[in-house]
Amino acid sequence: MKPVKLNTEPKIKTGFTVPEGYFESFSEELMNQIKETDSKVIPLKSKLLIRLSVAASVALFLGLGTYFYVLTKSESDYSEQIEMYLTSNTQLTTHDIVSFMEYSDVSSLEAKHNLQPDEIEGFLLDNYEIDEIITHSTEN
């Protein structure tokens, strides 16, 4: 095989040529060919933001409405139901009901009805046997 000398032998031409000044004027010609049109841009963030804000406001409205509804429901709203239960349940005695009451409940009843200790003692002595009162007071 014959050795190839690159610098001394004539080079093969590729057959492709670039016109003179092509690269200097390329960007100008390309910009002239592109039509300048204003396209409508639809921002996705604004629609998502609107949907999220509506969902947040609905959740806030429902949450606060439920909170204030529960807050305004007090024990007095249930007093009729409790009273009906106590009157319909004949197995409960007065002593059973009093045993579930706390001292503050008894004091508020005394203040509400303006009962004096002498009146309470008189009522108990008139309606109950002294043995029954003593046995119930020592059980608690």
Side-chain angles (χ1 to χ4, degrees):
M1 186 162 182
K2 178 173 139 181
V4 178
K5 297 180 182 177
L6 293 176
N7 291 334
T8 58
E9 304 252 342
K11 296 183 179 176
I12 302 172
K13 294 194 176 197
T14 61
F16 297 105
T17 59
V18 178
E20 299 251 347
Y22 177 76
F23 289 110
E24 288 81 18
S25 64
F26 176 73
S27 61
E28 273 183 40
E29 289 179 20
L30 182 65
M31 293 307 284
N32 288 337
Q33 290 177 359
I34 297 174
K35 293 181 182 178
E36 291 188 26
T37 59
D38 291 331
S39 61
K40 185 176 180 182
V41 177
I42 301 171
L44 295 177
K45 289 184 179 179
S46 67
K47 284 187 178 182
L48 181 65
L49 185 63
I50 290 171
R51 288 180 182 170
L52 285 176
S53 62
V54 168
S57 62
V58 167
L60 183 67
F61 177 73
L62 290 175
L64 288 176
T66 303
Y67 173 74
F68 286 116
Y69 176 74
V70 170
L71 187 65
T72 56
K73 277 287 212 194
S74 65
E75 290 181 14
S76 63
D77 295 338
Y78 301 112
S79 63
E80 290 180 19
Q81 294 175 353
I82 293 170
E83 186 177 339
M84 289 198 46
Y85 171 75
L86 292 176
T87 56
S88 66
N89 193 350
T90 57
Q91 298 170 349
L92 290 176
T93 64
T94 309
H95 293 292
D96 294 334
I97 294 172
V98 171
S99 68
F100 289 114
M101 296 177 76
E102 295 179 5
Y103 182 75
S104 60
D105 297 331
V106 175
S107 335
S108 65
L109 283 174
E110 286 176 353
K112 182 178 177 182
H113 294 292
N114 197 14
L115 297 174
Q116 299 300 323
D118 295 335
E119 293 174 359
I120 296 171
E121 185 177 334
F123 174 79
L124 290 174
L125 290 174
D126 291 342
N127 293 314
Y128 296 101
E129 295 294 324
I130 191 72
D131 296 334
E132 186 179 339
I133 295 172
I134 293 172
T135 56
H136 281 288
S137 65
T138 58
E139 288 176 359
N140 296 330

